[in-house]
Amino acid sequence: QVQLQQSGPRLVKPSQTLSLTCAISGDSVSSNNATWNWIRQSPSRGLEWLGRTYYRSKWYTDYAVSVKSRMTINPDTSKNQFSLQLSSLTPEDSAAYYCARVPGVSGWHGFDFWGQGTLVTVSS
Amino acid sequence: DIVMTQSPDSLAVSLGERATINCKSSQSLLFSSNYKNYLAWYQQKPGQPPKLLIYWASARESGVPDRFSGSGSGTDFTLTISSLQAEDVAVYYCQQYHSIPFTFGPGTKVDLK
């Protein structure tokens, strides 16, 4: 059974960088049969896909245009996890952040396993 | 970006009755090469992440009760709960995975009448 365990701060100051980690068990971040995603949810923006990383002979990342200039997703094969870094935070970035897996080699499928979520507040 | 809309915003259904949720996409989610619709449905309860119910518009995820069914093609889709149970009270979302960025509908809240 795949499990995704998130860690990271819940309170971050404006202009700072958010760093979240998603530890994977029951699968591998290097799998050729999955992609690894970050999604956030807020009352104002609903569910918003932020980006993904995946390995197909080399590493790939895709980002939503809305966060592309501020976001980095990195895989860590030694710890079997992947991370999100989101810089230049504003209160509009306050949301519940989730990591999630998409199964399959193509990357086109629903999100079948989710992390527990991290409720992040951006406030001074 | 593909825009997803849902209707109604909320609905109240009696135990054992049918609940129907509609989802519309701003462009077709059907790939002609494989005749698959790139649409998923999720259930979310308070304090929990969304749970995948349906993918490919009508394929039920493993372990999902058969009272949940998905239908539709192209730009119009429906999630049906054939006989509502108390544990089905939740918010339901549709999501397209036809193209990046993946996008979600705004959600439909299902309550007991």
Side-chain angles (χ1 to χ4, degrees):
Chain A
Q1 177 81 331
V2 175
Q3 289 188 319
L4 304 178
Q5 181 67 38
Q6 297 177 221
S7 59
R10 298 179 184 273
L11 180 62
V12 190
K13 289 181 167 48
S15 79
Q16 290 190 340
T17 296
L18 172 67
S19 296
L20 297 175
T21 299
C22 182
I24 303 164
S25 57
D27 201 345
S28 169
V29 71
S30 304
S31 169
N32 282 292
N33 207 31
T35 67
W36 305 97
N37 298 258
W38 287 100
I39 295 158
R40 68 182 177 184
Q41 184 175 29
S42 65
S44 59
R45 301 169 77 104
L47 284 159
E48 180 184 15
W49 176 83
L50 298 176
R52 66 179 181 179
T53 189
Y54 59 100
Y55 185 78
R56 302 289 186 269
S57 303
K58 69 174 185 176
W59 288 102
Y60 294 86
T61 54
D62 296 302
Y63 299 105
V65 170
S66 61
V67 295
K68 188 172 185 176
S69 63
R70 302 191 289 132
M71 184 161 172
T72 305
I73 298 176
N74 282 315
D76 183 343
T77 57
S78 65
K79 296 181 179 179
N80 199 30
Q81 63 188 29
F82 63 108
S83 64
L84 169 156
Q85 288 195 308
L86 185 64
S87 63
S88 304
L89 292 173
T90 72
E92 286 66 45
D93 293 310
S94 297
Y97 285 75
Y98 296 99
C99 57
R101 184 187 85 157
V102 170
V105 65
S106 71
W108 308 117
H109 195 280
F111 302 100
D112 64 346
F113 288 97
W114 295 65
Q116 79 275 24
T118 302
L119 184 59
V120 175
T121 301
V122 181
S123 174
S124 53
Chain B
D1 297 2
I2 297 177
V3 177
M4 307 298 292
T5 57
Q6 290 183 231
S7 62
D9 294 336
S10 64
L11 73 161
V13 178
S14 300
L15 282 173
E17 296 300 306
R18 178 185 299 260
T20 301
I21 300 168
N22 300 301
C23 173
K24 183 180 283 285
S25 58
S26 61
Q27 64 188 70
S28 177
L29 304 184
L30 177 66
F31 263 107
S32 55
S33 58
N34 58 12
Y35 297 102
K36 287 186 174 182
N37 287 281
Y38 285 49
L39 181 106
W41 287 98
Y42 299 85
Q43 174 194 67
Q44 187 177 30
K45 297 180 180 179
Q48 297 182 16
K51 174 188 175 183
L52 179 64
L53 298 175
I54 303 285
Y55 57 95
W56 300 129
S58 61
R60 199 177 300 114
E61 179 74 342
S62 175
V64 173
D66 61 6
R67 63 181 180 272
F68 292 93
S69 63
S71 62
S73 185
T75 61
D76 292 280
F77 302 91
T78 300
L79 175 70
T80 301
I81 309 173
S82 60
S83 176
L84 192 80
Q85 305 300 302
E87 61 265 32
D88 301 336
V89 169
V91 180
Y92 293 83
Y93 298 93
C94 58
Q95 176 240 333
Q96 67 80 19
Y97 49 95
H98 178 280
S99 58
I100 284 176
F102 304 133
T103 49
F104 294 82
T108 295
K109 186 175 183 181
V110 174
D111 271 320
L112 284 175
K113 185 184 290 183

